[in-house]
Amino acid sequence: MQLRIISKKIIKPSSPTPLHLKTHKLSLLDQLAPDIYTSLLFFYNGPSRVYDETNTSTNNVYHRLKSSLSKTLTLYYPFAGKLLQDNYVVDCDDSGIPFVETRGPSSISMSEVLKNPEMNTLQQLLPFNPNKKYLSTDDVNAAVQINHFDCGGVAIGLNFRHIVADGAASVGFIQNWAKLHSSDDNSIINYKHAVVDCTDTFPSNQEISSYARRIIEWHRAPECVTKRFVFDGGKVAALRGEIIKKDASLSLNQYRPTRFEAVSGLIWDALIAMDREENVGSTCIASVPVNLRNRMNPPLPEDCIGNLYHAVTCTTNKTSARNINQFTKMVNDDFVRKVYQDGGIVFVNQYKEAVEEILKGDNGVRLFGFTGVIGLPFYEPDFGWGKPVWSTTAMSLNNIAVLLGTRDGKGVEAWVGLPINDMPKFEQDPGILTYASFIPSRGAGFD
């Protein structure tokens, strides 16, 4: 799909960032995040059936989009700044973010993209390819691309620098942008700055960034493929019931797995079975992020900027969904403060040792990361022409699954990245075949 660029512009905050806020310090949690571009995509049936550069009414809509984006950047001012060389600080210099408008070919409609979404097509709808290998101080912290389809519909693509913001902050950004755009007064007077300094609790560490870079390079294995697996609401409900049925202790404890736990557990079980078929002594470790915003005391703003999550590592067990629940539920304010006390020196040393062990290779250990935005208002951003008909991402990393909620709030969409030789085996797992809908790999070697 070839897109034609209509316009490019740099959008700056509507009000200058005050002098005392010009420096935004990154926390240890930010430094642990991969320095890559994350991505969000929102598909809408509006605002107009056909985009026309000469149409005054249409132009007013997009002028208002830019104006409301500028005001939103005043609240999220680190997005409009630049990361300094030491990776500890964002210079909030109000240099702004790219705003690109494109028009798709008349031969491809938005409905065709939605019917059979392919990773390469989705990534073209973003300002930057999220697979860009190395980011530098010259790279921006956020960017927006508005894509118009001739047959009607608009896709809004956003990139965020992960070291500056996690998924919750990114979704909060577009949610507030949509609110500002669609409000009558278009004023930020009732909005609070979405920036919180967490470096007292999570002070930065000089050594950790290099280890975080090494682990993300490991996740960028060249021979990997990312595929979309859809678990509709009925299948998720059946899966959750099956998990309880298999483990009588779950019903006694009145535990019911969440959508995230059920689908993550199913994917994890499939990987365990696949690895053990080839290597009986293999180990599959799952890394699961826990949003700390509502677990700290006092709670942090739900949409505040930064990487406010703690990644727990879960070892193999007979009931993976339950295992994920047991590891994640222990993360509370007391747990976090103990883990990161004294600058998190014990945690940092354990992290460094774990990275060294994983990077050895050929040791029978698979580290698989789960992430996603289930439970966040992913389908809520409404710019005045209705809520998204589809919201998704376009991330492609090895041994990573990005889990998103479906529009009806009942199902799960999972983008799973695996080594290219592992994907056909994963697709043949009985659990995946039972609960997921997907397009099988070609040439998988199965009859």
Side-chain angles (χ1 to χ4, degrees):
M1 183 174 70
Q2 293 296 319
L3 300 176
R4 178 168 65 88
I5 294 177
I6 299 171
S7 68
K8 284 184 178 181
K9 189 175 182 179
I10 297 296
I11 305 297
K12 298 183 179 183
S14 59
S15 300
T17 301
L19 188 61
H20 69 284
L21 299 177
K22 285 289 188 180
T23 299
H24 173 63
K25 294 183 288 185
L26 298 183
S27 72
L28 173 60
L29 299 182
D30 294 321
Q31 291 178 300
L32 287 168
D35 193 12
I36 59 174
Y37 278 129
T38 59
S39 63
L40 295 176
L41 278 164
F42 300 85
F43 291 81
Y44 294 89
N45 283 328
S48 60
R49 178 139 186 88
V50 179
Y51 178 78
D52 180 0
E53 294 106 311
T54 64
N55 186 302
T56 303
S57 176
T58 304
N59 281 340
N60 286 339
V61 170
Y62 291 100
H63 174 76
R64 189 176 174 86
L65 267 178
K66 297 169 189 175
S67 173
S68 55
L69 175 59
S70 177
K71 292 179 179 180
T72 310
L73 287 173
T74 300
L75 305 173
Y76 291 81
Y77 52 88
F79 283 151
K82 291 289 180 64
L83 191 68
L84 297 183
Q85 190 67 44
D86 57 11
N87 274 15
Y88 298 147
V89 171
V90 174
D91 178 14
C92 304
D93 60 358
D94 297 336
S95 54
I97 70 172
F99 183 94
V100 182
E101 291 182 78
T102 74
R103 187 169 184 169
S106 57
S107 59
I108 297 179
S109 66
M110 189 175 81
S111 61
E112 290 178 90
V113 175
L114 300 183
K115 184 178 180 180
N116 184 24
E118 296 182 353
M119 183 62 68
N120 289 338
T121 300
L122 296 178
Q123 290 181 348
Q124 290 183 55
L125 301 173
L126 296 167
F128 305 115
N129 188 327
N131 295 330
K132 185 175 181 180
K133 193 165 186 179
Y134 297 109
L135 300 186
S136 70
T137 54
D138 294 327
D139 290 297
V140 297
N141 292 335
V144 175
Q145 182 168 309
I146 310 294
N147 307 278
H148 310 279
F149 292 89
D150 271 1
C151 295
V154 170
I156 300 180
L158 302 99
N159 286 122
F160 298 94
R161 197 162 182 167
H162 201 334
I163 198 172
V164 177
D166 59 11
S170 303
V171 172
F173 174 85
I174 192 169
Q175 176 78 333
N176 281 314
W177 178 19
K179 288 179 180 177
L180 275 167
H181 176 82
S182 57
S183 65
D184 292 333
D185 60 1
N186 199 222
S187 170
I188 64 171
I189 193 170
N190 295 320
Y191 291 78
K192 294 181 179 179
H193 281 123
V195 183
V196 177
D197 185 352
C198 295
T199 53
D200 285 343
T201 306
F202 311 106
S204 58
N205 184 285
Q206 189 173 359
E207 300 178 34
I208 206 69
S209 293
S210 63
Y211 283 84
R213 282 194 295 270
R214 291 171 66 190
I215 201 68
I216 194 60
E217 287 307 309
W218 179 79
H219 277 300
R220 289 187 187 277
E223 295 297 319
C224 74
V225 61
T226 298
K227 293 193 65 172
R228 178 175 176 252
F229 296 81
V230 179
F231 304 80
D232 65 35
K235 291 294 180 70
V236 171
L239 174 59
R240 294 166 77 181
E242 185 65 21
I243 291 169
I244 293 173
K245 182 180 177 181
K246 283 183 177 179
D247 192 336
S249 66
L250 300 186
S251 56
L252 293 175
N253 293 328
Q254 296 184 326
Y255 163 71
R256 186 168 176 79
T258 65
R259 285 183 291 160
F260 181 90
E261 291 167 355
V263 174
S264 296
L266 179 70
I267 293 172
W268 191 15
D269 284 338
L271 294 173
I272 292 170
M274 185 176 72
D275 288 349
R276 287 184 176 170
E277 186 174 332
E278 297 183 0
N279 182 355
V280 176
S282 65
T283 302
C284 184
I285 302 172
S287 173
V288 181
V290 180
N291 190 344
L292 300 179
R293 290 169 175 80
N294 60 357
R295 301 203 182 204
M296 300 297 291
N297 186 20
L300 298 169
E302 291 182 0
D303 56 359
C304 64
I305 206 168
N307 288 274
L308 291 164
Y309 66 88
H310 173 77
V312 297
T313 52
C314 313
T315 53
T316 54
N317 206 321
K318 63 179 180 180
T319 310
S320 296
R322 179 60 164 167
N323 200 7
I324 290 172
N325 171 265
Q326 289 175 332
F327 276 95
T328 56
K329 74 178 183 180
M330 68 182 181
V331 180
N332 56 25
D333 187 79
D334 287 340
F335 172 89
V336 171
R337 295 187 188 279
K338 287 178 182 176
V339 168
Y340 293 97
Q341 67 183 353
D342 300 323
I345 187 65
V346 175
F347 170 79
V348 167
N349 287 334
Q350 291 174 340
Y351 176 82
K352 288 159 61 177
E353 291 173 5
V355 170
E356 295 289 1
E357 181 65 25
I358 291 166
L359 296 181
K360 284 181 181 177
D362 299 324
N363 55 2
V365 176
R366 181 198 295 267
L367 173 65
F368 194 90
F370 291 96
T371 186
V373 292
I374 293 180
L376 297 175
F378 201 42
Y379 276 88
E380 292 301 311
D382 184 351
F383 289 88
W385 53 76
K387 295 179 180 180
V389 295
W390 187 42
S391 301
T392 191
T393 184
M395 300 294 296
S396 181
L397 292 169
N398 186 39
N399 282 309
I400 292 283
V402 182
L403 273 58
L404 313 167
T406 52
R407 191 184 184 194
D408 62 5
K410 299 177 181 179
V412 173
E413 173 185 316
W415 289 92
V416 180
L418 286 171
I420 195 166
N421 292 327
D422 284 353
M423 184 61 77
K425 304 171 193 174
F426 175 78
E427 293 173 14
Q428 293 299 308
D429 178 80
I432 299 299
L433 289 170
T434 300
Y435 295 105
S437 299
F438 60 95
I439 299 174
S441 297
R442 295 177 181 176
F446 294 96
D447 296 329

